[in-house]
Amino acid sequence: MMSFLVSEELSFRIPVELRYETRDPYAVRLTFHLPGDAPVTWAFGRELLVDGVGRPCGDGDVRIAPVEPEPLAEVLIRLQVGSDQALFRSSAAPLVAFLDRTDKLVPLGQEGALADFDSHLDEALDRILAEEQSAG
């Protein structure tokens, strides 16, 4: 569950599915289940999420930062398409637990060592582009 921050005064909790697939080892996927809308999936670099839990990072459509200077409490995830943006707040603990599980599957920095990665690269890129097109 994450908080969807509509404004400074209004937010609500929504379910968010976190996914990681070894056939696309550089990316994580977050699927947001907003009330009354079809689920929206965002794919972005796993390393961005790892870094964003501890310090502000991201350039462009996805920006992640701890809420407080003290890392590992809460995290803000800002997603932007053109002038439209959405802001989510999450406890860091489930994100860290998720990232720990991904690291057990494919250690960070070892993504390129997967034997079949190159054969799936085009498929992964096509899937990411299709997800982005269906989201926007």
Side-chain angles (χ1 to χ4, degrees), residues 96-120:
V96 170
F98 168 72
L99 290 167
D100 184 54
R101 289 190 305 273
T102 71
D103 193 60
K104 288 177 180 161
L105 291 170
V106 180
L108 199 60
Q110 299 297 315
E111 297 90 349
L114 292 178
D116 62 343
F117 178 72
D118 288 336
S119 65
H120 293 290

Side-chain angles (χ1 to χ4, degrees), residues 47-62:
E47 194 168 344
L48 176 63
L49 187 57
V50 168
D51 292 344
V53 169
R55 64 178 174 80
C57 65
D59 186 21
D61 295 344
V62 180

Side-chain angles (χ1 to χ4, degrees), residues 13 21 24 26-27 72 96 133:
R13 306 274 295 159
E21 300 172 4
D24 187 7
Y26 291 101
L72 302 180
V96 170
Q133 288 175 353

Side-chain angles (χ1 to χ4, degrees), residues 2 12 14 16 22-23 29 34 36 41 43 51 53 60 65-66 72 83 96 98 102 105-106 120 131-132:
M2 290 186 187
F12 53 93
I14 63 165
V16 178
T22 57
R23 63 183 171 172
R29 287 175 174 67
L34 299 167
T41 300
D51 292 344
V53 169
L72 302 180
S83 63
V96 170
F98 168 72
T102 71
L105 291 170
V106 180
H120 293 290
E131 289 173 2
E132 287 178 359

